[in-house]
Amino acid sequence: MPKNWIPVTYDRFASSSLRPHSSFAFARKDSIVPIVLAEVDRVAATYPIAFIRTDKLTVPVAVLALDGADNLFITAEGKWFGPYVPAVLRGYPFALANDPAGQPILCYDQSSGLVAEGNDGEALFAAGKTPSDKLREVMLFLRELHEGRQKTSAACAELERLALFDDLRFGDNNGKVRHIEGLLQINLSRLNEISDADFVSLRRLGGLPLVYAHAVSLGHWPAILRLSEMQAQTKVRTNSPPASLDGLFGMQQDELNIDWSKLR
């Protein structure tokens, strides 16, 4: 289902509540999701980490499926069965986006149906038109995620400057080399050849944990391939792969499709 992001304002949500929810069905079509530096060690423990280039920047992603297939880590009931849920998914149904003036503003996916009038859940606003404790908690989490994206972007920009990215290739379970269009990996051999000054610069920008986590995560490709084979055997594919990686990206921060006319 397409997401319908609208700004969260008191006038619109004064008497609304966030319903309890635990389903990740909203992310079923997300075969990759963006990640930030603060979580790379936990992501690398289970999922392959790759990179994509958008029009504006290079972004690390957790690979959750291949070739635009359904997310391999969501059950038919919408439960997440991996040991770690990437941060961008834990903020749903909320996200931060920049308004036309470039200021971050809290938005809600109206298509989720998780916020409704009444007391069936946790209120979004308290007396005096102030955010409730729950909404403050959400806003704090998303601000930290927003700041994490900025730090991550700086580290990836340095990796780009050093020309360390190559097209992603890995060996499949039959010994053949697989290439996934649009996904990138770090060339570790070239990393070893950079100057001491460039190495220090990369370290100062927080790039080394990302490099090492990416390298460790490459060992998960066989598991992803096996899960993909199991999915193909138990489900008939009816959806077509998105036309671009931007379509796969799903919940890219600050580039949500917002109806700003509802900011009142």
Side-chain angles (χ1 to χ4, degrees):
M1 178 183 295
K3 296 178 175 63
N4 180 23
W5 297 99
I6 59 174
V8 175
T9 64
Y10 176 80
D11 289 343
R12 189 174 185 86
F13 292 100
S15 58
S16 298
S17 298
L18 176 64
R19 294 171 174 170
H21 65 283
S22 59
S23 174
F24 287 92
F26 68 89
R28 192 177 302 282
K29 300 300 181 182
D30 293 340
S31 55
I32 59 174
V33 296
I35 60 174
V36 296
L37 288 176
E39 61 180 337
V40 294
D41 55 339
R42 286 164 289 180
V43 172
T46 304
Y47 317 109
I49 295 174
F51 300 82
I52 65 170
R53 288 191 181 106
T54 68
D55 292 339
K56 298 179 180 178
L57 69 167
T58 302
V59 181
V61 295
V63 180
L64 306 174
L66 297 176
D67 302 322
D70 285 357
N71 191 325
L72 296 167
F73 296 90
I74 297 177
T75 68
E77 298 75 27
K79 302 298 182 183
W80 191 280
F81 71 87
Y84 178 75
V85 180
V88 68
L89 301 180
R90 286 184 276 123
Y92 190 81
F94 300 99
L96 283 184
N98 286 340
D99 66 13
Q103 298 299 313
I105 188 169
L106 183 66
C107 296
Y108 161 68
D109 178 17
Q110 195 171 28
S111 68
S112 72
L114 292 174
V115 170
E117 293 286 324
N119 301 318
D120 185 21
E122 298 183 77
L124 296 185
F125 288 92
K129 300 185 178 182
T130 59
S132 66
D133 289 344
K134 178 60 179 180
L135 195 58
R136 289 180 186 276
E137 176 185 324
V138 168
M139 293 169 65
L140 176 61
F141 175 79
L142 292 176
R143 285 188 185 124
E144 291 176 348
L145 185 58
H146 178 74
E147 293 171 359
R149 282 185 181 274
Q150 294 176 320
K151 295 176 181 178
T152 306
S153 295
C156 287
E158 185 68 359
L159 291 168
E160 284 281 18
R161 185 186 73 82
L162 297 172
L164 294 180
F165 289 117
D166 283 339
D167 291 341
L168 176 67
R169 287 181 170 81
F170 61 92
D172 67 14
N173 295 331
N174 296 316
K176 297 181 179 179
V177 176
R178 288 283 301 267
H179 170 235
I180 302 178
E181 185 70 27
L183 290 185
L184 306 172
Q185 65 185 27
I186 295 171
N187 187 313
L188 299 177
S189 295
R190 284 207 299 273
L191 173 67
N192 290 329
E193 296 171 357
I194 66 175
S195 69
D196 291 346
D198 284 338
F199 186 86
V200 170
S201 177
L202 184 61
R203 185 190 59 171
R204 287 176 176 170
L205 288 170
L208 293 183
L210 177 57
V211 170
Y212 299 146
H214 165 67
V216 169
S217 78
L218 297 179
H220 297 312
W221 286 117
I224 292 291
L225 288 167
R226 285 195 296 271
L227 286 171
S228 297
E229 292 167 358
M230 292 170 60
Q231 183 188 74
Q233 292 169 0
T234 58
K235 177 181 177 182
V236 176
R237 289 274 306 278
T238 59
N239 60 301
S240 299
S244 69
L245 279 175
D246 286 343
L248 284 175
F249 198 74
M251 297 181 65
Q252 183 176 347
Q253 181 133 340
D254 300 335
E255 295 185 6
L256 304 176
N257 185 16
I258 309 298
D259 184 355
W260 294 112
S261 67
K262 297 181 180 179
L263 186 56
R264 59 178 181 270

